[in-house]
Amino acid sequence: MKTKVPNIFINQLKTLFLFKLSPILIMKQLILLLIVAFYSASVSAQVERQDGSPQVMEVNSFIASLKPEANNLSSRKSVNPAAQNLENLLYKVQPSIYFDSGNVKTYGEKPKNFFVDARSLNKISNSNLLKNNIEIVTIKINSATELSSTIDLSVFSNFKNLKYIYIVSSVSTTDVALSKMILNYDEKYSIFYKVEKGDTNQ
């Protein structure tokens, strides 16, 4: 006659085994949840860029993005002409136009730089400017009120050689906030910014 062996011991082992796996399964689920969350945030950021709002970078980061990688020996010997040209426009004296409250002051022949304060942007289209050689527009933001206004890039549609929009703010701001200010963005423009508090020469 066969004796029936109780399954209590086996069932207890199974329960213990499952109990030990439970924290591991929870960790795996948590990691998977975090991955999904980060992926969703990344996709969401990309979608925001696809809605027509431009990418706005801090000026030094933008210049660095134009330069060859430092670890590439062959590229270290070559200088990116676009980066060199931009640095010249930003940091060397160039023929320039200053436009303030409708008043125009031009220095030099065939000006490449155009300086304007945010409150004067809507007056540009009604002014007689030497626009054909302008490569960079510097827009000065002087107050928090101006940060809540818009920057309509359509006013520069007749600037045939314009490549760069440089926003200089004396008020703390971010790339996201500035991006939301831009209207009628055109992909031919690169937009970058600098927060500049106090008096400087640049």
Side-chain angles (χ1 to χ4, degrees):
M1 184 174 174
K2 292 185 179 178
T3 56
K4 197 171 183 180
V5 179
N7 291 328
I8 296 170
F9 181 71
I10 297 170
N11 288 338
Q12 284 179 347
L13 280 177
K14 283 183 180 178
T15 306
L16 186 62
F17 184 67
L18 288 172
F19 180 75
K20 285 187 177 179
L21 279 182
S22 181
I24 295 171
L25 287 173
I26 290 172
M27 286 299 290
K28 284 182 180 179
Q29 289 175 349
L30 184 60
I31 290 169
L32 183 61
L33 185 63
L34 288 172
I35 290 170
V36 169
F38 283 125
Y39 178 75
S40 298
S42 174
V43 169
S44 174
Q46 289 175 5
V47 168
E48 287 176 7
R49 290 298 179 199
Q50 290 170 0
D51 67 0
S53 63
Q55 180 179 12
V56 179
M57 296 178 69
E58 194 277 329
V59 62
N60 293 325
S61 298
F62 180 75
I63 293 171
S65 73
L66 296 177
K67 293 182 177 180
E69 292 182 20
N71 58 359
N72 189 332
L73 291 174
S74 61
S75 64
R76 262 190 276 178
K77 296 176 183 177
S78 63
V79 177
N80 186 319
Q84 187 66 56
N85 180 55
L86 178 56
E87 287 182 320
N88 289 341
L89 291 170
L90 288 171
Y91 306 122
K92 292 190 177 180
V93 176
Q94 303 284 337
S96 303
I97 298 174
Y98 291 82
F99 188 80
D100 184 14
S101 301
N103 298 317
V104 181
K105 292 181 181 178
T106 305
Y107 300 92
E109 295 181 9
K110 297 181 179 179
K112 292 184 175 183
N113 291 28
F114 183 72
F115 295 87
V116 61
D117 58 290
R119 68 177 186 270
S120 300
L121 284 173
N122 59 353
K123 299 176 184 176
I124 291 173
S125 53
N126 298 327
S127 61
N128 187 17
L129 299 169
L130 300 172
K131 305 171 183 175
N132 290 342
N133 295 300
I134 299 294
E135 293 184 36
I136 183 169
V137 168
T138 301
I139 301 171
K140 181 71 175 170
I141 294 175
N142 296 306
S143 68
T145 306
E146 291 175 3
L147 272 179
S148 62
S149 62
T150 58
I151 297 175
D152 187 351
L153 298 185
S154 66
V155 298
F156 303 117
S157 58
N158 293 328
F159 288 59
K160 297 176 182 177
N161 286 322
L162 182 60
K163 301 173 189 149
Y164 307 112
I165 306 292
Y166 181 31
I167 302 170
V168 179
S169 178
S170 59
V171 184
S172 293
T173 187
T174 65
D175 54 345
V176 174
L178 293 172
S179 179
K180 289 178 181 177
M181 292 175 66
I182 306 295
L183 297 179
N184 297 308
Y185 171 63
D186 191 321
E187 290 182 357
K188 68 183 179 181
Y189 303 139
S190 297
I191 305 175
F192 41 90
Y193 77 102
K194 178 181 182 181
V195 174
E196 188 175 74
K197 295 184 177 181
D199 296 328
T200 65
N201 294 327
Q202 295 178 2

